[in-house]
Amino acid sequence: MISPVIRPRRMRSTPALRRLASETRLHPAELVLPMFVREGRESVNITSMPGVVQHSIDSARRAAAEAAAAGIGGVMLFGVPDVRDAIGSGATDPLGILNVATRSIADEVGDALVVQTDLCLDEFTDHGHCGVLALDGSVDNDATLERYNEMALVQAASGSRLLGLSGMMDGQVASVRAALDGSGFLDTAVLAYSAKYASAFYGPFREAVQSTLTGDRRSYQLDPANRREGVREALLDIEQGADVVMVKPAGSYLDVLADVAAVSDVPVWAYQVSGEYAMIEAAAAQGWIDRRRSIEESVLSIRRAGADAVLTYWAVELAAWLTEGNRT
């Protein structure tokens, strides 16, 4: 009869031992809730993201208060304007939806959580790209940086404590950091979407922000085939002064996330994007997977790969489960 001397199963034999031996844990403070805020008085359901809505200002305030009460780390705000133009004028209008929402939510929650804003033009342009277009239809990197600088100052003045630079323009971190510092916003932090890939998993997000994009963003977002490039982009952003770097999407890029986490001396976050959310919700609705276990496992996997915080549409619900678990 074979009798193994080394028995790793010992440490998995009871719930208490498994809890004691757990290498990775989730905490509400490590979760950030992305929120969409639209113009108008009514919230609108997003059909491809069951349970997620385009908020009105009033419902966004309530949702932010709920998020603060749940103990999560922050909210990331995206604006959904009624009117768009070639340069995304609404993004730098102090009365534009994103800036109004930022002021309102910052007033609602104070320092109970970190109010963050998406700094990108795609929600505000009539062509749907993340920057200003040149005459040949390409995205003009340096002209776009000027617009990002203007956005940064308006968002910081509106109360955003952390700016999410998601446009993937070369030099965007250095440019925005210089603009902020030059205008006295020394304490406004910069989150660089450093390794943001040209992914098919953004589909539901495009519905959420009512994207007008035709074509794709492959000329500025990363090729999904490239692993080392994600690390290079993160290191460049750190050198330029990023306070946090991001990998997006999360689930399909855990290798990139682990690579970035291994070399970064600033916090590394990851965004569990709309397509990841939609797939789990759709499969769970069919009864094919256990919804709660799948959500918990998916976010735990992102943390295990090296993310210090995770942007996820389940942030508040997951925080409630974690709090409930700590009481039992």
Side-chain angles (χ1 to χ4, degrees):
M1 181 177 177
I2 298 173
S3 181
V5 174
I6 299 174
R7 296 179 180 269
R9 286 183 55 190
R10 290 189 188 107
M11 296 303 293
R12 303 194 290 267
S13 59
T14 71
L17 276 169
R18 291 194 294 273
R19 185 170 62 249
L20 182 63
S22 181
E23 298 175 22
T24 306
R25 304 178 195 278
L26 297 177
H27 189 279
E30 301 159 351
L31 305 174
V32 175
L33 176 69
M35 293 175 57
F36 306 101
V37 188
R38 67 188 300 269
E39 299 191 52
R41 296 185 176 183
E42 300 295 329
S43 299
V44 176
N45 292 327
I46 301 168
T47 57
S48 57
M49 300 177 69
V52 180
V53 303
Q54 293 177 343
H55 286 282
S56 66
I57 294 289
D58 288 343
S59 72
R61 286 178 67 107
R62 292 192 295 270
E66 180 185 4
I72 71 168
V75 292
M76 175 65 78
L77 306 180
F78 297 86
V80 186
D82 285 340
V83 178
R84 309 173 193 222
D85 61 24
I87 63 169
S89 299
T92 49
D93 181 354
L95 298 180
I97 182 60
L98 180 56
N99 300 315
V100 171
T102 302
R103 290 193 295 274
S104 181
I105 291 171
D107 180 65
E108 178 71 31
V109 301
D111 289 329
L113 47 72
V114 180
V115 176
Q116 310 165 33
T117 45
D118 179 58
L119 197 156
C120 193
L121 288 170
D122 60 319
E123 297 109 285
F124 300 94
T125 55
D126 54 12
H127 47 74
H129 276 287
C130 297
V132 178
L133 298 187
L135 293 177
D136 64 0
S138 64
V139 175
D140 186 326
N141 190 95
D142 295 0
T144 298
L145 294 184
E146 295 295 329
R147 295 290 293 138
Y148 285 2
N149 292 348
E150 295 168 9
M151 288 182 70
L153 299 183
V154 175
Q155 290 185 1
S158 297
S160 177
R161 297 308 303 267
L162 184 148
L163 309 182
L165 277 60
S166 62
M168 289 301 292
M169 296 296 118
D170 292 342
Q172 62 183 13
V173 172
S175 183
V176 166
R177 184 72 269 163
L180 290 169
D181 292 352
S183 295
F185 294 108
L186 302 178
D187 292 332
T188 302
V190 169
L191 160 64
Y193 285 52
S194 301
K196 182 178 180 181
Y197 285 83
S199 173
F201 293 108
Y202 302 145
F205 180 91
R206 304 262 167 94
E207 179 195 348
V209 297
Q210 298 174 347
S211 174
T212 56
L213 179 69
T214 55
D216 58 53
R217 298 179 175 136
R218 294 175 187 270
S219 68
Y220 44 101
Q221 294 179 354
L222 299 185
D223 184 341
N226 293 354
R227 179 172 177 171
R228 292 191 301 271
E229 190 176 19
V231 176
R232 183 188 184 211
E233 290 277 4
L235 290 174
L236 284 170
D237 287 343
I238 293 169
E239 182 181 333
Q240 292 173 31
D243 299 288
V244 185
V245 292
M246 176 98 87
V247 175
K248 179 182 179 180
S252 296
Y253 296 88
L254 296 180
D255 56 338
V256 178
L257 174 57
D259 290 347
V260 171
V263 300
S264 176
D265 56 5
V266 303
V268 178
W269 295 3
Y271 196 143
Q272 187 177 44
V273 300
S274 58
E276 298 174 78
Y277 176 93
M279 288 191 298
I280 289 178
E281 289 290 353
Q286 293 293 326
W288 295 336
I289 58 174
D290 182 301
R291 180 178 179 272
R292 176 168 173 170
R293 287 187 60 194
S294 297
I295 292 169
E296 292 174 334
E297 184 177 336
S298 67
V299 178
L300 184 68
S301 297
I302 297 166
R303 283 278 293 115
R304 188 188 66 237
D308 298 295
V310 181
L311 277 72
T312 175
Y313 299 97
W314 290 300
V316 172
E317 184 175 17
L318 179 54
W321 295 340
L322 295 172
T323 303
E324 171 190 290
N326 289 336
R327 289 198 296 262
T328 59

